[in-house]
Amino acid sequence: MHSSATSPNACGVDSVGTVSAALLTSFSIQTLKPDLIINAGTAGGFKAKGASIGDVFLASDVSFHDRRIPIPVFDMYGIGARKTSAVPNILKELNLKIGKLSTGDSLDMSPQDEKVILSNDATVKDMEGAAVAYVADMFSTPAIFVKAVTDIVDGEKPTSEEFLQNLIAVTAALDLAVTKVVDFISGKRISDL
């Protein structure tokens, strides 16, 4: 028997995190065969790296910060650092900020996560991006990452409180930015982005 407490997303909230992101990306690529994936979402930002609430970033690189495998070579696999698809014209034309993205499955940041995030040189942190990039690479599908800052990770307020306080306004800024990205790429080749 299957109880509702064990069914996928029995809580009725957004399916956040790397597992859902990887599964949905894989399914979407195999089903839709897209020319480009746009992973749009919210993220925490680091004021030490110049992030402010409402800023919209295009990720230049992605990596994981919570896949700790302290064995040679497996450690690099765990971090999974990779460059994102180069889109210099989007960056120039739409005046987005650029920064490195670090991904993990927790909203908060443990001291271990913080150490890896710093070594990843991340400007923003989310819960899906690197998983989307990993799957996109598996299928050789270009992917870009548009992230709007809802909370300042190295700020004064608790992350969950600041996230909820800014979510509506920041998703409106994200919606506007993604609409501009989609309008810009429409009818263009990947090489023109």
Side-chain angles (χ1 to χ4, degrees):
M1 278 315 273
H2 221 271
S3 79
S4 63
T6 59
S7 66
N9 203 356
C11 298
V13 298
D14 291 340
S15 295
V16 299
T18 59
V19 173
S20 293
L23 288 169
L24 290 170
T25 301
S26 178
F27 177 78
S28 297
I29 291 172
Q30 291 177 75
T31 305
L32 303 172
K33 309 212 181 325
D35 296 321
L36 175 72
I37 293 172
I38 302 171
N39 175 234
T42 59
F46 292 88
K47 69 178 178 189
K49 290 288 196 172
S52 300
I53 301 292
D55 284 350
V56 181
F57 282 87
L58 198 59
S60 59
D61 303 73
V62 296
S63 52
F64 291 97
H65 57 258
D66 65 351
R67 296 193 330 170
R68 293 177 287 280
I69 311 170
I71 300 170
V73 185
F74 282 92
D75 56 351
M76 292 168 47
Y77 164 79
I79 290 171
R82 54 186 29 92
K83 288 263 181 218
T84 62
S85 298
V87 287
N89 294 325
I90 289 177
L91 198 59
K92 184 175 62 180
E93 186 72 26
L94 301 184
N95 201 26
L96 299 171
K97 290 190 168 190
I98 191 161
K100 294 180 179 181
L101 171 66
S102 193
T103 298
D105 271 309
S106 296
L107 183 67
D108 66 355
M109 183 173 63
S110 73
Q112 289 169 307
D113 290 347
E114 184 175 16
K115 193 171 138 187
V116 178
I117 289 167
L118 288 171
S119 71
N120 288 347
D121 194 30
T123 301
V124 289
K125 71 180 263 306
D126 79 346
M127 296 175 67
E128 294 85 21
V132 171
Y134 178 82
V135 175
D137 271 3
M138 284 176 64
F139 289 97
S140 300
T141 303
I144 62 173
F145 303 81
V146 183
K147 300 294 172 172
V149 176
T150 51
D151 54 279
I152 300 301
V153 183
D154 53 348
E156 309 303 313
K157 296 180 183 175
T159 296
S160 57
E161 181 182 306
E162 193 169 34
F163 171 84
L164 291 171
Q165 177 185 330
N166 295 313
L167 184 60
I168 292 171
V170 171
T171 52
L174 177 64
D175 182 39
L176 182 62
V178 171
T179 299
K180 288 180 180 178
V181 168
V182 170
D183 288 346
F184 181 82
I185 68 174
S186 183
K188 291 183 175 72
R189 298 175 189 271
I190 299 289
S191 58
D192 296 331
L193 304 180

